[in-house]
DNA sequence: TGTACATCAGTGAACGCGCGTTCACTGATGTAC
DNA sequence: TGTACATCAGTGAACGCGCGTTCACTGATGTAC
């Protein structure tokens, strides 16, 4: 089905992205440059325009891949250790520590002038679904003002879980990223305590308590 | 004491920073350019080297100013509405919403190749002190594994509060930034619910419950 | 299997741009007698 | 108050760099008869 040329194209595209990741890891997402990537591949700059329409298309591809990778890592963790919020949380944190710049690409400061296409939102939804599934059998907890608001969102997004689960998921989600984004950004550096313990304490407090 | 020349220098420095903020608000921190700033001021690029040794010094100044501004805003809120964690939290969130790019400058993805000097850590401490002060009269809550770790940090940082307060402060801190950074980054955009309510729910859950 | 043609990967030159930073300089502002 | 000198703000040219992107082209790879 796939011709040799098509396979070759796919290979080069993959190699370009590989180099892009290396570049991101070194100098952040804003440093992604088609010319620089071409150079490290021993090619001339314009050659890459055979594979990507422009710089934005490359970035979009990278963002999607990062998201997919994160979803895969979370899914794999669930498959291995069970559908548990803490399992997902640790998978995400581990991934963030392994690939800080990829984490920033998704959850960090938005790249100026770049707007993520709708496909990424779709993948983001998959991640949320994974979390909702892990949370769905928990006891509700007291009703609150936010619930009414979430009910509207639930209908709109066609999510099939009670508001109480949605509420727990959102709290869990924000706390997870609260710890992780601050620690990866280095805001706890030189403060001399174990951020892993802080993370675990936060996740424990968020669940059942 | 201050000569006219010194006063003039301070004025120009301030004006440069004013334009830098405008540039940051438009295209993010990585877009700060001395040449571009000079142009909008009707000056030539090299002129600014009379006022800042180089680009990094400008950024350092901006980061410090942003921090100071955030501390001032928090202090003002406390002065007006009392020393309450929720008051501080709302002050920080309001500031972040008013100046999203300044918020990112401090708490967002680190600027590649730029390292904050120690003075900024000092100002960050002031903000934490403000929070610790607001939390200091709360009941302890059950002891946990993190406490031992925090005790070491307390000694090292010469902070004069019990571990339980430090623990509460850290939890409060991470949850605050968890909601705020995600909402400012736009991760709740198009999800159709009121992030203000989510924020309030998180802060309420974090305090007394 | 061999030839003719079409497809397409990659090159090199070029365009226009903006960046940080240096340097020798002009001209205005302040200072000392 | 007036003159001589020192200080210093700002200019314009220049350096070297890298960026994204276009374009006409060469040469290799695949396809059809």
């Amino acid at each position: 089905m796939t011709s040799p040329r098509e396979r070759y194209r796919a290979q080069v595209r993959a190699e370009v992205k590989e180099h892009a990741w290396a570049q991101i890891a070194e100098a952040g997402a804003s440093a992604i440059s088609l010319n620089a990537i071409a150079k490290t591949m021993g090619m001339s700059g314009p050659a890459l325009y055979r594979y990507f329409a422009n710089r934005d298309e490359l970035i979009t591809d990278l963002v999607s891949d990062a998201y997919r990778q994160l979803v895969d890592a979370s899914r794999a963790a669930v498959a291995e250790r069970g559908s548990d919020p803490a399992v997902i949380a640790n998978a995400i944190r581990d991934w963030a520590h392994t690939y800080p710049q990829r984490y920033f690409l998704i959850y960090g400061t938005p790249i100026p002038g770049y707007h993520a296409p709708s496909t990424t939102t779709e993948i983001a939804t998959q991640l949320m679904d994974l979390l909702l599934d892990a949370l769905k059998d928990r006891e509700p907890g007291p009703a609150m003002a936010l619930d009414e608001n979430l009910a509207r969102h639930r209908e709109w997004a066609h999510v099939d879980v009670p508001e109480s689960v949605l509420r727990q998921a959102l709290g869990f989600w924000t706390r997870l990223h609260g710890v992780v984004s601050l620690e990866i950004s280095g805001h706890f550096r030189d403060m001399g305590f174990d951020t892993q313990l802080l993370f675990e304490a936060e996740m424990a407090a968020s669940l059942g308590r």
Side-chain angles (χ1 to χ4, degrees), chain A residues 28-50:
Chain A
S30 56
I32 301 172
S33 145
L34 289 176
N35 286 300
I37 292 168
K39 194 186 282 180
T40 65
M41 289 177 70
M43 291 169 78
S44 73
L48 299 193
Y49 282 77
R50 291 262 162 213

Side-chain angles (χ1 to χ4, degrees), chain A residues 161-180:
Chain A
V161 293
E163 293 91 61
S164 67
V165 172
L166 213 50
R167 185 212 312 150
Q168 276 202 68
L170 279 174
F172 192 79
W173 195 242
T174 55
R175 291 174 193 195
L176 187 166
H177 287 291
V179 179
V180 173

Side-chain angles (χ1 to χ4, degrees), chain A residues 188-203:
Chain A
F188 296 141
R189 199 145 34 230
D190 307 331
M191 279 187 74
F193 62 84
D194 190 344
T195 53
Q196 167 81 45
L197 283 176
L198 174 62
F199 180 72
E200 279 166 11
E202 272 301 288
M203 294 301 96

Side-chain angles (χ1 to χ4, degrees), chain A residues 36-77:
Chain A
I37 292 168
K39 194 186 282 180
T40 65
M41 289 177 70
M43 291 169 78
S44 73
L48 299 193
Y49 282 77
R50 291 262 162 213
Y51 302 94
F52 299 91
N54 49 41
R55 186 173 175 267
D56 264 31
E57 198 192 288
L58 210 207
I59 295 179
T60 296
D61 238 55
L62 292 169
V63 173
S64 299
D65 283 5
Y67 249 126
R68 247 188 298 270
Q69 205 187 74
L70 178 58
V71 171
D72 287 351
S74 305
R75 267 207 242 279

Side-chain angles (χ1 to χ4, degrees), chain A residues 73-153:
Chain A
S74 305
R75 267 207 242 279
V78 164
E80 196 182 327
R81 286 189 277 280
S83 179
D84 179 343
V87 166
I88 298 172
N90 274 293
I92 293 176
R93 180 170 180 265
D94 287 348
W95 185 81
H97 272 93
T98 311
Y99 307 107
Q101 296 292 352
R102 304 192 194 193
Y103 176 81
F104 285 135
L105 194 61
I106 299 177
Y107 295 107
T109 311
I111 300 177
Y114 174 78
H115 281 286
S118 57
T119 49
T120 57
T121 353
E122 197 189 310
I123 311 178
T125 306
Q126 289 178 30
L127 202 53
M128 191 47 93
D129 287 347
L130 208 63
L131 179 60
L132 288 173
D133 196 62
L135 280 166
K136 72 168 185 295
D137 294 329
R138 316 199 127 252
E139 68 267 32
M144 52 195 299
L146 183 59
D147 287 1
E148 193 196 331
N149 205 266
L150 290 178
R152 263 200 299 277
H153 164 67

